[in-house]
Amino acid sequence: MRDTQHPYVPRDLYLEDYVPVSLSQSIILVVYGASSLLHVSIIWFLSGRSPKITKVDRLLMCWWAFTGLTHMILEGYFVFSPEFYKEKMGFYLAEVWKEYSKGDSRYAARDAAIVAVEGITAVVEGPACILVLYAIATRKSYSYILQFAISLGQLYGTAVYFITSYLEGDNFSTNSLYYYEYYIGANASWVVIPMIVAIHCWRKICGAFEASSPKKTKIR
């Protein structure tokens, strides 16, 4: 007999000993938003103490801090907690994924593609984002290359995320509200911002290369 006492689609998804979400959606979102705002504010304040760091780089540092900690903490928990849906104590990170699975049940089902993408993101891209903070703050020469590489990785991972869902029928949301709020809305920033960052870094790299290349002299 299959356990269908969960809100996810498909309804016959088997989740043994599933424990319903105990925190409300508003609490989950407020905690996530407040904690994100806090560490972004700290990065903005600390980076502002150095006159050598431009406002654009300060914004980039805020983004890398936010996305890096999200990758390592939030997505890292998912990767290494395969039975988060059984959590009974109302642990916040487990509650986040129980709630988010209403928008994409592949997380609760431990879909292989999702686990693989999130694993690479948490273990590789997460620490790399934190390294970018150091690179920008200390004006390392590899800063733009690293930012460009991570942004491409984020875009690739997001593309795999959406494409695999489409190929499998794109029917993993409880209803249209969760589909647009979680599946589309929550992932939109990892499409738009990495694309902007990649373009910015591409221009910087090309500009530096052109500036360092010897100018050709015309032969009369």
Side-chain angles (χ1 to χ4, degrees):
M1 180 177 179
R2 289 185 178 276
D3 182 4
T4 59
Q5 302 304 310
H6 58 69
Y8 310 130
V9 174
R11 295 299 299 149
D12 62 351
L13 174 63
Y14 180 61
L15 295 177
E16 185 179 7
D17 299 326
Y18 167 76
V19 177
V21 182
S22 60
L23 296 179
S24 67
Q25 181 190 55
S26 59
I27 290 177
I28 291 174
L29 295 178
V30 166
V31 170
Y32 180 68
S35 60
S36 298
L37 180 61
L38 176 62
H39 71 249
V40 164
S41 298
I42 292 173
I43 294 298
W44 178 261
F45 172 75
L46 294 177
S47 62
R49 303 185 68 176
S50 174
K52 296 181 179 180
I53 302 178
T54 66
K55 286 186 177 181
V56 171
D57 282 338
R58 291 174 67 192
L59 288 172
L60 287 170
M61 291 178 72
C62 289
W63 162 249
W64 291 120
F66 164 76
T67 191
L69 292 177
T70 297
H71 290 336
M72 290 191 297
I73 298 174
L74 195 59
E75 294 168 270
Y77 174 82
F78 163 76
V79 172
F80 297 105
S81 302
E83 297 184 334
F84 66 85
Y85 57 84
K86 296 182 179 181
E87 171 61 45
K88 300 178 180 179
M89 304 304 293
F91 181 57
Y92 178 75
L93 296 180
E95 295 293 287
V96 169
W97 290 113
K98 288 181 188 179
E99 179 67 18
Y100 182 80
S101 293
K102 294 176 183 178
D104 189 345
S105 64
R106 293 180 297 169
Y107 281 81
R110 302 295 292 180
D111 179 86
I114 295 297
V115 175
V117 169
E118 294 289 13
I120 295 172
T121 300
V123 176
V124 178
E125 293 180 6
C129 291
I130 304 305
L131 178 59
V132 168
L133 288 176
Y134 168 78
I136 295 175
T138 55
R139 304 175 68 82
K140 295 296 183 182
S141 58
Y142 59 80
S143 170
Y144 291 114
I145 293 291
L146 184 57
Q147 292 181 71
F148 184 74
I150 299 173
S151 295
L152 289 186
Q154 291 175 327
L155 289 170
Y156 177 79
T158 307
V160 171
Y161 175 71
F162 285 123
I163 291 172
T164 52
S165 176
Y166 175 78
L167 293 176
E168 293 174 13
D170 196 19
N171 184 31
F172 301 101
S173 298
T174 302
N175 55 48
S176 59
L177 174 63
Y178 291 115
Y179 179 86
Y180 288 105
E181 186 175 2
Y182 293 159
Y183 178 72
I184 300 296
N187 293 286
S189 59
W190 275 277
V191 174
V192 177
I193 299 180
M195 191 175 297
I196 293 173
V197 174
I199 293 172
H200 170 73
C201 293
W202 176 268
R203 289 175 175 173
K204 287 288 186 178
I205 293 169
C206 291
F209 181 79
E210 290 175 358
S212 63
S213 297
K215 294 181 180 180
K216 294 181 179 180
T217 56
K218 293 182 178 181
I219 300 176
R220 294 177 180 262

